[in-house]
Amino acid sequence: MKKLALVSLLSLALCGPAQAFGLNTLLSAGTDLVKSATLSDAEVQAMAAESSKALDKQAKVAAAGSPQAKRLAKIVSGLSSEDGLKLNFKVYLDKEVNAFAMADGTVRVYSGLLDKMTDDEVRYVIGHEIGHVKLGHSKKAMQVAYAASAARKAAAGSGNANVAAFSESEMGELSEQILHAQFSQSQESDADAYAVEFLKRHNYKLDAAPSALRKLAALYGNDSSLLSSHPAAGDRADKVEKLIK
């Protein structure tokens, strides 16, 4: 959700007389909204852990002995931690070409990505997603999603029932918002640069970075879940090649 839309939603929720809203709900929403801008790293990690549980529950997770899970285990062999994160990996059986990482060390790779990428290209994608976490991009996305939840609480204070702090359904919705967060041009470029350093640290093939981006561009243009509308994947691949050289 765009920040402007978030502000507009909150304004609409709070513009009427105070008597029109449940006071407790308003106080809770206001507290959550303020808190969204000051979430500590520990709180972000705890919320990420809860979000990953919600997403795992919604997804079809590959069994440990499945071909997809075995392949991912091979790809990430020796990668139990990275840059302070204790990593845990699972495969989602989903044709979408996607992957994500979260602040608690959760890394999820979709089977659609495994179908399209070589092992080293998958490693680049994993490094890119970890980069979003370590560079603070995922935390900002979580703050926006958390604030949106607070705005909905305020809107519901007019009398809609069943407003509770992070019910199971709300956590699922929050997790989906975090998962589908859109990163800026500079954030994508910074995560690409982080991924290149990630490949270097582990002696993975560096040319996997531009080849993964070009493969996604050829397959999907900029419609892939892993590609932002700008910068174009081809431009990102060119920049990554310069970093490698």
Side-chain angles (χ1 to χ4, degrees), residues 7-219:
V7 172
S8 297
L9 177 59
L10 185 60
S11 297
L12 287 173
L14 298 178
C15 64
Q19 292 83 356
F21 299 90
L23 181 57
N24 290 336
T25 299
L26 278 174
L27 290 173
S28 173
T31 300
D32 284 351
L33 185 60
V34 172
K35 188 175 182 60
S36 70
T38 59
L39 288 171
S40 69
D41 289 343
E43 288 170 329
V44 169
Q45 290 172 4
M47 289 179 65
E50 290 301 313
S51 294
S52 68
K53 288 179 185 178
L55 291 169
D56 285 354
K57 191 172 182 179
Q58 294 172 9
K60 184 177 181 180
V61 179
S66 67
Q68 296 90 346
K70 286 182 177 179
R71 184 182 167 205
L72 181 61
K74 172 177 172 287
I75 289 171
V76 302
S77 177
L79 196 63
S80 60
S81 63
E82 178 62 28
D83 205 1
L85 288 177
K86 185 177 180 181
L87 303 176
N88 67 91
F89 298 90
K90 290 181 182 179
V91 176
Y92 285 177
L93 297 177
D94 191 309
K95 292 182 179 180
E96 185 178 0
V97 178
N98 202 5
F100 65 88
M102 303 188 81
D104 66 326
T106 289
V107 179
R108 300 293 181 260
V109 177
Y110 288 54
S111 58
L113 179 72
L114 293 175
D115 291 340
K116 300 296 184 183
M117 298 285 178
T118 67
D119 289 359
D120 285 300
E121 288 168 345
V122 173
R123 291 179 179 122
Y124 153 74
V125 171
I126 289 172
H128 178 94
E129 296 305 318
I130 291 174
H132 280 309
V133 173
K134 295 304 300 182
L135 296 171
H137 308 159
S138 298
K139 180 178 181 179
K140 291 179 180 178
M142 184 172 286
Q143 288 172 329
V144 171
Y146 194 98
S149 175
R152 284 194 297 274
K153 281 185 184 180
S158 60
N160 294 338
N162 300 320
V163 178
F166 291 106
S167 65
E168 184 174 348
S169 62
E170 285 178 324
M171 179 55 71
E173 185 176 350
L174 176 67
S175 302
E176 286 290 335
Q177 289 181 17
I178 296 169
L179 177 59
H180 294 103
Q182 293 294 310
F183 297 114
S184 69
Q185 177 176 355
S186 62
Q187 287 174 330
E188 293 291 356
S189 294
D190 289 346
D192 285 339
Y194 182 98
V196 169
E197 293 303 314
F198 168 84
L199 296 175
K200 288 180 180 178
R201 282 197 297 273
H202 296 282
N203 295 314
Y204 297 147
K205 292 182 179 179
L206 297 181
D207 61 2
S211 67
L213 286 167
R214 295 193 192 285
K215 183 176 288 186
L216 286 168
L219 288 169

Side-chain angles (χ1 to χ4, degrees), residues 192 196 209-210 213 235-244:
D192 285 339
V196 169
L213 286 167
D235 293 340
R236 285 171 59 188
D238 291 341
K239 183 178 289 188
V240 164
E241 285 181 334
K242 290 179 181 178
L243 287 175
I244 291 172

